[in-house]
Amino acid sequence: MALNETFFVSHGTPAIAVDDSLLPRHFLKSFAKKVLNQRPKAILIISGHWETSEPTVNVIHGNNDTIYDFHNFPKPLYQLKYPAPGAPELAKRVKELLEGSGFKQVNEDKERGLDHGAWVPLMVMYPEADIPVCQLSIQTSQDATHHYNVGKALAPLKEEGVLIIGSGTATHNLKSARPDNKDDSVASWALEFDNWLKEALISGRFEDVNHYLEKAPYGKLAHPEPDHFYPLHIAMGAAGQYAKAELIHSSWFAHTLSFSSFKFTSTI
């Protein structure tokens, strides 16, 4: 059954997997009932934690390994497993679509599992780990338009019942973060960027979002590196030029990290 939506979720801290005090955890727990009650055939997830020089898919026969690519978190997080089945047929289809759209080199990784930008939100959204999952990398040497075009190439997957999720963070300046932010304050520049992003997406100004470094206030401060923002551009591109964007979650963490999350609904 076809899907009409793509999503960008702010995955934030790995603690979302276990900490009920974090608001995004409650949002993600309700995803399958309140946001998308249609069960996908497979999931293609794009995480800000897998960077390669060329687009790369993980081609896994059997179950995905769980990658613990984070440091200094409580021990129980390193004992969690998310053994979702691999999706080798989807991986081949992703490669086919990208190559057919002019991406000259698309690589396959036959060993890599799911990093925490993939398995942490999926563990909360689909805890049974019974939906096949394929992960696609990002290219931080390229710009946002490159990633938007990756998404455009992948749009046919929606008709094939594949759920496309970009997993990053709406603002991601870790050097300015305050994990002990007891007064729940938000940096003014982060709030200004986040408000700009919401307004630009909801009003359909996707090209402005593609050129956020020139168009947005504090774009470079909100994203000193683009890795956690590019998954949004892929989800946006996969939804289509005339897609309708909707804010589906908004909360803050550590003074500078926005967990704003969006649904993109195709209109044609």
Side-chain angles (χ1 to χ4, degrees):
M1 187 179 297
L3 293 175
N4 204 35
E5 305 92 349
T6 66
F7 295 89
F8 172 75
V9 298
S10 289
H11 65 252
T13 168
I16 285 174
V18 295
D19 189 347
D20 277 323
S21 72
L22 297 171
L23 293 177
R25 175 170 168 80
H26 296 279
F27 156 65
L28 293 172
K29 284 176 74 173
S30 70
F31 185 88
K33 290 184 178 180
K34 294 184 178 180
V35 181
L36 183 71
N37 55 21
Q38 186 175 343
R39 180 181 169 88
K41 176 182 176 182
I43 297 171
L44 175 66
I45 192 161
I46 304 94
S47 159
H49 292 278
W50 189 17
E51 303 175 30
T52 59
S53 59
E54 304 291 343
T56 305
V57 287
N58 72 334
V59 185
I60 302 301
H61 297 270
N63 294 338
N64 280 288
D65 288 335
T66 304
I67 301 173
Y68 306 99
D69 53 334
F70 47 84
H71 306 284
N72 300 320
F73 280 85
K75 185 177 179 180
L77 282 174
Y78 300 92
Q79 298 170 336
L80 297 175
K81 300 284 186 185
Y82 191 73
E89 292 181 3
L90 173 57
K92 299 287 187 182
R93 180 72 172 130
V94 169
K95 182 174 182 178
E96 175 186 83
L97 288 170
L98 290 176
E99 289 178 340
S101 296
F103 292 89
K104 294 181 180 179
Q105 184 174 347
V106 182
N107 296 326
E108 300 180 13
D109 189 321
K110 297 183 179 180
E111 296 182 356
R112 194 181 195 279
L114 302 176
D115 60 55
H116 83 269
W119 69 261
V120 166
L122 290 179
M123 172 174 277
V124 184
M125 296 161 75
Y126 297 104
E128 297 84 3
D130 58 355
I131 300 174
V133 179
C134 172
Q135 186 167 346
L136 172 66
S137 68
I138 58 168
Q139 291 73 60
T140 51
S141 60
Q142 300 286 349
D143 62 8
T145 298
H146 162 89
H147 291 82
Y148 182 78
N149 289 333
V150 168
K152 284 174 63 177
L154 300 176
L157 294 176
K158 302 194 306 292
E159 292 295 318
E160 300 165 21
V162 175
L163 173 57
I164 300 173
I165 301 173
S167 175
T169 311
T171 60
H172 195 251
N173 187 327
L174 294 180
K175 289 186 177 179
S176 298
R178 301 177 186 171
D180 57 348
N181 185 34
K182 293 183 172 57
D183 62 359
D184 294 328
S185 64
V186 176
S188 59
W189 56 263
L191 184 62
E192 192 167 342
F193 177 87
D194 191 60
N195 285 337
W196 175 88
L197 177 62
K198 293 172 184 175
E199 196 275 331
L201 288 175
I202 291 169
S203 62
R205 301 198 328 267
F206 294 171
E207 274 305 298
D208 283 0
V209 179
N210 283 340
H211 296 91
Y212 71 97
L213 289 174
E214 296 84 26
K215 299 289 188 178
Y218 305 109
K220 188 66 174 177
L221 191 57
H223 291 280
E225 299 296 334
D227 49 297
H228 275 59
F229 204 32
Y230 284 168
L232 180 144
H233 295 92
I234 295 179
M236 185 171 70
Q241 182 180 357
Y242 302 106
K244 175 180 171 56
E246 177 185 346
L247 179 70
I248 54 175
H249 177 75
S250 181
S251 62
W252 290 87
F253 180 72
H255 191 61
T256 63
L257 302 181
S258 166
F259 289 162
S260 292
S261 301
F262 298 91
K263 176 173 72 173
F264 300 95
T265 303
S266 304
T267 57
I268 56 174

